Amino acid sequence: MDRGTALADRVAGAGDRDFSGMARHTAPADRVAGASDRDFSGLDRGTSLVDRAASAADRRWAAAYAELELNLAESEARAWRLLQSLPESVVVVDTDGIIELVNAPAVTMFGYQSDELVGQPVEGLVSGLHEAYRAHASLHGAADRAGPMSMGPNVLASRKDGSSVPVEVDLSSIILSTGRAVLASIRDVSDRKLAEAELRSSDERFRVAFDHAPTGMALIDLRHGDEGPLLQVNAALCDLTGYSEVQLLAMTTAAITHPDDRRNTMANLARLAEGAAIQWATDKRYLKASGEEVWVHVVVSVIHDTDGNPSYGVSQVEDISARRSAEAQLAERFNEFAANVDIGFLLNDRSHSVYEYLNPAFYSIFALSPGTIVDPEMVTAMVHPDDEGLARARDLVQAGGVVEDESRIVLPGGEVRWVRTKVFGLTDDHSPDGRIASTVEDITLRKAAEAELIDARHEAERANAAKNEFLSRLSHELRTPLNAILGFAQLLELDALDEQQGGFVAHILRGGRHLLAMINDILDVTAIDAGRLDLKPENIGIGELLHDLLGLMQPMATANHIALHVDPKPAGAIRVTADPHRLRQVLLNLLSNAIKYNRPEGSVTVAVRRDVAADTVSIAVVDTGLGIPAADLPRLFTAFDRLGRQSTGIEGTGIGLTLSRRLVILMGGHLEVETAA
């Protein structure tokens, strides 16, 4: 309002200076009139002289009047430009309440064009404006002696669209060429009114929430010392402490705090008042009016003033007596538990040089007499010289975090034990720097078992390597006589043999070839185990490969009355990178098994799918065989385990699937099985 008044005063002053030019230019006119009087006084000296004097006076009067008109026009133009440049709405009203001038902000504010407002009563815009100023002027006896006045903030202005807007109005008297007028500076205060309403609503919500909160609430003065004078309390806090509202408002936060917790309370209130923190939470004790102790959880949040300085604290107080009682019972049970377990427990304050708590298991693990005073340096000194993890644990926890370590300790008698240690930090209100807790477990027996297991594994690995070497050598040694047997059998097959002799030779060839295939598979498996199997990857067309394989397997399928299908037929663009010989070997093994273990009149279908997004190709060999029991699936890829099929008379070695899976893995794929049995 003051700023608006000052603005109106400046405009009024400018108007007075500019419009008062009429009074200043009256003096030249008077001077002209005086000269004219002097000239006309000489009429008795002759008519021609009178005529010349009158003509000269007319010319001087016309010049003075023209100058007056020009100066007045310039003054009013300057005043009008000033009004248009103002950010606030300005309306100039004559003594009858009729609008003479409006500036651009007023046009925007009220929604009218300027020619729609000029000449109209100002009461149509702001009701009571004209009458209010007339009443104000009458108090001073005349409008020219009336000072500025203001209206608001509960004044409503009317817009063209029929809506109303709350405004403040500053009124000042000015002088125009047409006479005295009133300059009205009008400000829209709807945003301010809305903000004030919202502030009142917010204050009301806070008051209701404060007064009716189920937990204790208090407003603390942080501006006067660290004891925390109470400025406002709710009913819940009165019920909690047993004091009345009047009694509490005469007390401080420190006064109702238990003496043992008072120092910590005052220190933290001081931190809040200094701006070192914006919130403080703690568990502490209050002293009730009856003298009884009550445990409470207190959270104090800072409220800042308009300059950002801490001024008040809103305290929320919750009765946690039941929780503290439960915690005490839990601590008692923990102590009982800790006294009867084999894991050592250690607890100490970061600022203390000795452990605050050690359970019996710790003394037993470290071979110390119960009750011995132990400090961290003593424990560190017992760490084996070659192990530094436990020695560094305390420093690492001091920096924050959890440290787990397995290391050796050397007992006072020289015995070496393995221990597993976990060290971590704890934070609580009674230890500002926090505590360090540790657990220690004797793992000497486990370490011994692990060492034995490692030795056994190494021994097994050596035995497996020896087995592979033996199989490899044996397989090579068997191939030479086996090739000779197969060769002579093939020569006998060419001779003219009777039916019985031909059957003998066929039996020799079939058994020899089966034995040769088994020897080759064993050689491949041992080569894979030894890491000596070399692959030669190539870009292979799946369609071409399957066409060759199905042609090769067709005689076997026909002999077993099995139908072979490919669904769908692979496009020529489906290609994979693999060793062609090994991929062919895997697919032949799968197709052979699918035919051998199928049902009579069954079928074998090869399905090829390409996943463009994953850039993979899957090849599935699906048969209509008897299936495999779910319990036998884990044994399917175990070498030489035929899952009981050896009694069926179907030839096989039990090593084909084992070799196939290892080959697929070596080529970057995986081989899985699904069964409907």
Side-chain angles (χ1 to χ4, degrees):
M1 186 182 297
D2 294 337
R3 290 195 300 273
T5 302
L7 178 63
D9 290 343
R10 290 198 300 275
V11 174
D16 290 340
R17 290 193 301 273
D18 290 336
F19 297 147
S20 65
M22 292 187 295
R24 291 197 305 272
H25 286 290
T26 301
D30 291 341
R31 288 196 298 273
V32 172
S36 177
D37 291 340
R38 289 193 300 274
D39 288 338
F40 291 159
S41 66
L43 286 175
D44 58 336
R45 284 181 287 180
T47 302
S48 60
L49 181 59
V50 172
D51 291 340
R52 287 194 300 273
S55 176
D58 288 343
R59 288 194 299 273
R60 286 194 294 271
W61 171 254
Y65 186 76
E67 181 182 1
L68 177 64
E69 290 284 343
L70 178 61
N71 289 338
L72 183 59
E74 290 179 352
S75 177
E76 290 189 349
R78 285 194 301 272
W80 176 240
R81 288 194 298 271
L82 176 62
L83 292 178
Q84 289 288 12
S85 66
L86 294 177
E88 296 180 348
S89 299
V90 175
V91 177
V92 178
V93 183
D94 67 11
T95 56
D96 294 324
I98 303 301
I99 298 174
E100 292 195 1
L101 296 170
V102 294
N103 68 349
V107 169
T108 301
M109 178 178 177
F110 293 106
Y112 291 96
Q113 298 297 322
S114 59
D115 55 1
E116 293 180 299
L117 292 174
V118 174
Q120 300 298 318
V122 73
E123 295 294 322
L125 292 183
V126 184
S127 178
L129 183 150
H130 181 58
E131 292 301 324
Y133 194 75
R134 286 183 60 184
H136 175 69
S138 67
L139 294 176
H140 297 80
D144 58 349
R145 291 197 297 272
M149 69 166 289
S150 297
M151 299 174 62
N154 298 316
V155 177
L156 292 178
S158 300
R159 293 192 175 104
K160 183 177 181 180
D161 60 8
S163 62
S164 298
V165 57
V167 296
E168 285 184 346
V169 183
D170 294 328
L171 302 173
S172 299
S173 176
I174 63 172
I175 299 175
L176 298 177
S177 59
T178 56
R180 188 165 294 278
V182 176
L183 183 144
S185 176
I186 305 172
R187 292 181 300 282
D188 181 349
V189 295
S190 56
D191 289 342
R192 192 181 77 190
K193 298 279 283 186
L194 182 63
E196 291 173 350
E198 178 62 28
L199 181 59
R200 287 193 298 272
S201 176
S202 176
D203 288 343
E204 178 64 15
R205 289 195 299 269
F206 173 78
R207 186 188 65 78
V208 171
F210 186 96
D211 290 342
H212 299 284
T215 57
M217 300 284 291
L219 185 65
I220 303 172
D221 192 346
L222 298 177
R223 300 168 300 176
H224 305 291
D226 54 7
E227 294 196 356
L230 299 175
L231 302 178
Q232 186 178 349
V233 296
N234 71 346
L237 186 62
C238 294
D239 294 340
L240 175 64
T241 60
Y243 290 103
S244 68
E245 180 179 0
V246 173
Q247 289 174 315
L248 283 176
L249 294 181
M251 302 174 71
T252 64
T253 301
I256 60 175
T257 299
H258 191 282
D260 293 344
D261 299 331
R262 196 168 293 163
R263 180 179 178 183
N264 185 43
T265 295
M266 296 175 66
N268 280 283
L269 287 177
R271 292 181 70 246
L272 296 179
E274 294 166 0
I278 61 173
Q279 191 177 75
W280 168 55
T282 187
D283 290 349
K284 66 175 185 175
R285 288 160 293 178
Y286 275 168
L287 283 179
K288 301 175 69 171
S290 63
E292 179 188 358
E293 295 180 6
V294 56
W295 275 98
V296 293
H297 178 70
V298 179
V299 179
V300 183
S301 301
V302 174
I303 298 177
H304 297 83
D305 60 20
T306 55
D307 296 327
N309 299 316
S311 296
Y312 307 99
V314 176
S315 176
Q316 303 176 63
V317 184
E318 179 186 2
D319 185 346
I320 60 169
S321 299
R323 192 190 81 190
R324 294 291 296 199
S325 176
E327 289 175 352
Q329 294 178 11
L330 184 61
E332 183 179 351
R333 292 175 182 174
F334 169 78
N335 289 334
E336 182 180 354
F337 167 77
N340 293 279
V341 296
D342 295 330
I343 298 177
F345 290 98
L346 305 86
L347 181 67
N348 74 304
D349 192 296
R350 296 174 192 261
S351 60
H352 293 174
S353 59
V354 298
Y355 287 105
E356 299 177 18
Y357 176 79
L358 297 168
N359 72 335
F362 169 81
Y363 289 105
S364 175
I365 292 172
F366 282 78
L368 297 173
S369 299
T372 301
I373 297 176
V374 180
D375 59 63
E377 286 67 26
M378 182 187 301
V379 174
T380 301
M382 297 177 71
V383 176
H384 193 281
D386 295 338
D387 299 336
E388 62 175 8
L390 181 61
R392 294 172 44 242
R394 182 180 172 89
D395 294 336
L396 292 174
V397 173
Q398 291 280 15
V402 177
V403 178
E404 295 186 54
D405 178 64
E406 292 183 358
S407 57
R408 290 165 293 178
I409 57 173
V410 181
L411 302 183
E415 178 187 353
V416 176
R417 288 182 181 175
W418 275 95
V419 293
R420 183 177 184 273
T421 307
K422 184 175 182 179
V423 186
F424 50 93
L426 298 176
T427 302
D428 59 51
D429 298 313
H430 301 288
S431 176
D433 296 327
R435 288 182 167 93
I436 295 178
S438 307
T439 62
V440 181
E441 180 184 2
D442 187 343
I443 58 171
T444 305
L445 295 178
R446 194 196 78 189
K447 281 292 187 178
E450 288 177 354
E452 292 178 1
L453 184 61
I454 291 172
D455 291 341
R457 185 175 69 246
H458 290 163
E459 184 62 29
E461 289 173 352
R462 287 192 295 269
N464 188 59
K467 178 204 69 176
N468 289 337
E469 181 66 21
F470 168 75
L471 288 176
S472 177
R473 291 180 179 275
L474 179 62
S475 298
H476 281 291
E477 294 296 330
L478 290 175
R479 288 182 70 172
T480 301
L482 183 58
N483 285 332
I485 293 172
L486 289 175
F488 282 113
Q490 288 171 350
L491 291 176
L492 288 174
E493 191 178 31
L494 296 177
D495 292 341
L497 303 174
D498 57 30
E499 183 177 351
Q500 184 181 25
Q501 293 172 333
F504 293 157
V505 172
H507 187 70
I508 294 172
L509 287 172
R510 185 166 58 252
R513 288 171 180 149
H514 174 70
L515 183 58
L516 182 61
M518 182 177 67
I519 291 173
N520 289 334
D521 288 346
I522 291 174
L523 287 174
D524 287 341
V525 169
T526 55
I528 292 173
D529 288 342
R532 296 196 303 265
L533 186 68
D534 294 328
L535 297 179
K536 298 178 181 178
E538 297 181 11
N539 191 265
I540 308 168
I542 295 299
E544 300 172 2
L545 178 62
L546 289 179
H547 180 269
D548 292 344
L549 291 176
L550 292 180
L552 185 63
M553 298 303 297
Q554 188 61 55
M556 181 179 179
T558 301
N560 287 273
H561 306 287
I562 303 298
L564 294 179
H565 306 285
V566 177
D567 182 33
K569 186 176 181 180
I574 299 181
R575 307 183 70 83
V576 297
T577 300
D579 185 311
H581 172 66
R582 296 303 179 180
L583 182 57
R584 183 185 184 92
Q585 182 179 352
V586 170
L587 292 174
L588 281 174
N589 183 276
L590 298 179
L591 288 169
S592 175
N593 285 348
I595 294 171
K596 288 191 301 182
Y597 298 104
N598 214 317
R599 299 175 186 269
E601 306 299 331
S603 65
V604 175
T605 302
V606 181
V608 182
R609 298 287 185 272
R610 180 180 183 184
D611 188 335
V612 177
D615 193 25
T616 59
V617 174
S618 62
I619 304 173
V621 178
V622 184
D623 64 69
T624 58
L626 299 176
I628 303 172
D632 290 341
L633 284 178
R635 298 160 48 200
L636 186 62
F637 295 99
T638 302
F640 305 109
D641 189 346
R642 296 189 60 196
L643 307 182
R645 297 301 194 271
Q646 60 271 20
S647 61
T648 62
I650 300 174
E651 291 184 353
T653 63
I655 199 172
L657 286 178
T658 302
L659 175 60
S660 296
R661 170 177 269 190
R662 296 190 184 185
L663 288 173
V664 170
I665 292 173
L666 284 176
M667 290 186 288
H670 60 90
L671 178 62
E672 303 296 339
V673 62
E674 295 180 4
T675 180

